[in-house]
Amino acid sequence: MNGTVTPATQYLDVPGGRLAFDDTRQGDGVPVVLLPGMLDTRAAYRHLRPLLTAAGRRVITMDLRGFGESSIVWDDYTPAAIATDVLALLDHLGIERAALVGNSYTGATVVKVAGDAPERVAGIALIDAFVENLPQNALMRGVVRVMGTMLVHSPAFWGFYHRKMAYPGNRPTDFDAYVNGLVAAMRTPGRRTAIRGHVRGDASPIGWTVAVRCPALVVMGSEDPDFPKPEVVADRQVAALNARKVMIEGSGHYPMADNPQATADALLPFLAEIA
């Protein structure tokens, strides 16, 4: 399959709503499921997917509850709820075992799936995830609450975060159009419910890593503004998951977009080993 071809959107109905996903269908080794972060869409991997497919991997990307082409209104938007969607998608596609990749909010999701259904998961990769994050003091908890409120009531703040914080170095050529699309999507009818659900979902759960036994990879942008000390958080994840670590120098919160080649170079050897 030509790695530059964008697969057609497919849909899966599950209890509570409809999930949108795409599937390159062809590839060697274990299939790879890519999950975007909070308030994002599966197009977050638009620059990484061609590199993985060109290397011979079957790649599946899924829109989260509330965003992209998935249904907007659900009763639960948490990483744990999204974990049930991942398993439903694997069942739907007849995939017995897959590698799961989660960015940011869905790092917790792939950890949850790996702990709850170890027979279905060949390995997990966390990209700038909040799992095993440093404990927050009262000031940081207050800042997080304020930022969450701003996201719910001011979509423009999400654009500000991307333009001024999330990409400290490289930006993809389609950066402005992509960010404009994210902000516009947040203004669509009913989306505030989904935004509130994501903001209130626990992306930093305690104890979930204990149940994980599969191989794990931690990928972290060295300049991620979401963490005062990105490498310290990465090291905590490595210790909890007995994982290997790859720091992407100069990258922010989305290395799969600002440095897709380095991200692919981290993922592909890992995928080859777990195959």
Side-chain angles (χ1 to χ4, degrees), residues 31-83:
V32 185
V33 180
L34 306 177
L35 302 176
M38 184 179 75
L39 314 184
D40 213 335
T41 76
R42 67 189 196 274
Y45 292 100
R46 65 201 182 280
H47 300 294
L48 177 63
R49 180 180 56 203
L51 300 177
L52 300 183
T53 56
R57 294 292 165 183
R58 178 183 179 183
V59 180
I60 298 140
T61 60
M62 186 185 83
D63 281 331
L64 307 183
R65 298 177 173 211
F67 291 89
E69 296 176 89
S70 291
S71 300
I72 294 178
V73 178
W74 300 71
D75 61 0
D76 190 345
Y77 297 89
T78 62
I82 297 167

Side-chain angles (χ1 to χ4, degrees), residues 20 40 46 51 57 94 100 187 210 227 237:
D40 213 335
R46 65 201 182 280
L51 300 177
R57 294 292 165 183
L100 308 180
R187 295 191 171 109
V210 173
F227 306 104
Q237 294 170 356

Side-chain angles (χ1 to χ4, degrees), residues 121-184:
V121 182
I124 60 173
L126 311 184
I127 300 179
D128 291 71
F130 293 101
V131 175
E132 299 298 331
N133 199 0
L134 292 166
Q136 294 178 339
N137 57 31
L139 175 61
M140 287 303 300
R141 289 194 296 271
V143 169
V144 170
R145 284 195 297 270
V146 170
M147 290 181 66
T149 300
M150 292 179 69
L151 285 171
V152 171
H153 296 286
S154 177
F157 179 71
W158 195 228
F160 174 85
Y161 165 75
H162 278 77
R163 292 189 173 93
K164 301 298 184 182
M165 300 173 65
Y167 291 79
N170 298 329
R171 291 181 174 184
T173 56
D174 60 354
F175 176 77
D176 287 330
Y178 188 74
V179 174
N180 288 341
L182 292 179
V183 174

Side-chain angles (χ1 to χ4, degrees), residues 1-7 23-24 26 49-57:
M1 174 175 287
N2 185 340
T4 63
V5 173
T6 300
D23 180 5
T24 63
Q26 300 179 22
R49 180 180 56 203
L51 300 177
L52 300 183
T53 56
R57 294 292 165 183

Side-chain angles (χ1 to χ4, degrees), residues 17 79 109 140 168 172 187 197 218 231 248:
T109 295
M140 287 303 300
R187 295 191 171 109
V218 171
E231 189 157 12
I248 308 294

